[in-house]
């Protein structure tokens, strides 16, 4: 049976979980109304992409904590799987994590395995879990992961036919101009190599002289971008696989 999936392009929000949850509710409600089984949000979206360790530690969440339990309870009203980027704390370490949530429960997590120089505050993950929604098997890469073929291959070797790319492309203006199309072409290369669908969720907007154009898109197994949220706009894409 086909599975409907939604990927969202949302504003760049920093350390404001209340506002973030409103955006999650907005698109989760819309995705559920359109019969989607999975809805995906960007990298570190819950707290914002924080790379100063003091600030990140202040806002990090242990996924076994009462605080995260309250977030799970808040999202339990949605009858769909939510993939959400979070800054996770566990045993004193910080992780750039994608949490997979369903029916108010944490189904699993993926921790980013390839870290940029500016992400030294995080500990790299070592595992590549796969998840199921109906008959669909999928895995997760987080942004920079998609520049490494093995990050995709480790998922397809476990039977994944879809990769969800949880991303955050906020950059300096000059760098963003260079990469706004390269993000898509690199991900298209991974999709074509592995013969899988690749769906990306991203942030958009400007902040402190930096910009995120947004790379939210649907890429087919031939490496062709068949849907994309326009640059600098919020929105959601739905695809049935």
């Amino acid at each position: 049976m086909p599975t409907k999936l939604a990927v969202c392009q949302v504003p760049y929000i920093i350390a404001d979980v209340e506002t973030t949850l409103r955006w999650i509710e907005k698109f989760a409600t819309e995705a559920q109304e359109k019969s989607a089984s999975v809805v995906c949000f960007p990298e570190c979206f819950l707290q914002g992409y924080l790379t100063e360790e003091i600030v990140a530690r202040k806002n990090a969440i242990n996924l076994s904590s009462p605080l995260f339990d309250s977030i799970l309870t808040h999202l339990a009203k949605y009858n769909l799987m939510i993939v959400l980027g979070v800054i996770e704390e566990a045993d004193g370490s910080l992780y750039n994590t994608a949490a997979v949530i369903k029916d108010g429960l944490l189904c699993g997590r993926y921790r980013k395995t390839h870290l940029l120089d500016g992400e030294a505050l995080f500990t790299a993950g070592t595992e590549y879990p796969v998840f199921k929604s109906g008959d669909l098997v999928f895995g997760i890469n987080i942004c920079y992961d998609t520049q490494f073929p093995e990050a995709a291959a480790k998922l397809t070797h476990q039977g994944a036919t879809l990769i969800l790319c949880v991303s955050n492309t906020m950059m300096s203006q000059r760098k963003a101009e260079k990469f706004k199309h390269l993000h898509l072409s690199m991900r298209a290369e991974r999709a074509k190599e592995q013969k899988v669908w690749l769906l990306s969720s991203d942030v958009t907007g400007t902040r402190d002289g930096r910009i995120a154009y947004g790379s939210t898109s649907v890429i087919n197994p031939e490496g062709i971008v068949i849907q994309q949220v326009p640059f600098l706009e919020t929105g959601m894409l739905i695809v049935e696989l």
Side-chain angles (χ1 to χ4, degrees):
M1 176 179 291
T3 299
K4 277 189 179 180
L5 303 105
V7 286
C8 305
Q9 187 152 294
V10 289
Y12 185 76
I13 301 167
I14 290 292
D16 186 352
V17 172
E18 185 176 330
T19 298
T20 297
L21 285 173
R22 286 200 293 269
W23 278 95
I24 293 170
E25 287 187 293
K26 167 182 167 60
F27 281 123
T29 298
E30 185 177 338
Q32 185 164 276
E33 288 173 350
K34 295 183 177 180
S35 302
S37 298
V38 180
V39 61
C40 182
F41 293 93
E43 178 180 14
C44 298
F45 182 55
L46 184 64
Q47 304 106 310
Y49 184 72
L50 305 172
T51 55
E52 293 183 19
E53 186 165 358
I54 292 174
V55 179
R57 284 195 177 277
K58 180 181 178 182
N59 289 276
I61 295 179
N62 188 297
L63 302 191
S64 299
S65 68
L67 176 57
F68 194 69
D69 284 345
S70 69
I71 292 170
L72 292 176
T73 299
H74 188 77
L75 299 177
K77 57 191 172 185
Y78 298 107
N79 185 32
L80 74 175
M81 186 175 283
I82 298 172
V83 179
L84 174 62
V86 303
I87 296 176
E88 177 195 2
E89 183 280 325
D91 299 322
S93 295
L94 299 180
Y95 297 92
N96 184 332
T97 297
V100 181
I101 298 163
K102 179 75 164 61
D103 296 327
L105 299 172
L106 178 66
C107 302
R109 77 196 83 189
Y110 167 71
R111 291 168 170 167
K112 190 174 186 177
T113 54
H114 297 84
L115 301 175
L116 293 159
D117 291 342
E119 296 177 322
L121 72 163
F122 297 119
T123 297
T126 58
E127 299 179 349
Y128 291 88
V130 294
F131 305 92
K132 286 194 72 175
S133 178
D135 295 329
L136 180 69
V137 178
F138 70 91
I140 301 168
N141 280 183
I142 298 180
C143 208
Y144 187 51
D145 286 332
T146 56
Q147 294 195 33
F148 299 87
E150 69 272 14
K154 286 179 183 292
L155 299 174
T156 58
H157 290 166
Q158 298 177 75
T161 57
L162 163 70
I163 295 171
L164 290 179
C165 177
V166 179
S167 59
N168 185 311
T169 60
M170 178 65 74
M171 297 176 171
S172 66
Q173 178 79 47
R174 182 177 178 181
K175 194 172 182 181
E177 286 290 339
K178 175 183 176 181
F179 277 93
K180 69 179 180 180
H181 297 295
L182 285 176
H183 286 121
L184 294 176
S185 63
M186 287 185 289
R187 292 167 193 170
E189 188 175 349
R190 297 289 87 79
K192 188 174 181 179
E193 281 174 356
Q194 299 300 321
K195 298 180 174 57
V196 295
W197 288 85
L198 193 151
L199 276 59
S200 181
S201 178
D202 200 359
V203 297
T204 193
T206 59
R207 186 184 181 96
D208 302 327
R210 305 172 79 220
I211 188 167
Y213 284 102
S215 61
T216 302
S217 55
V218 175
I219 302 173
N220 71 14
E222 287 73 48
I224 298 169
V225 178
I226 62 171
Q227 293 188 59
Q228 182 180 354
V229 177
F231 291 140
L232 296 176
E233 294 185 17
T234 60
M236 185 177 73
L237 304 175
I238 297 272
V239 65
E240 186 172 80
L241 304 182

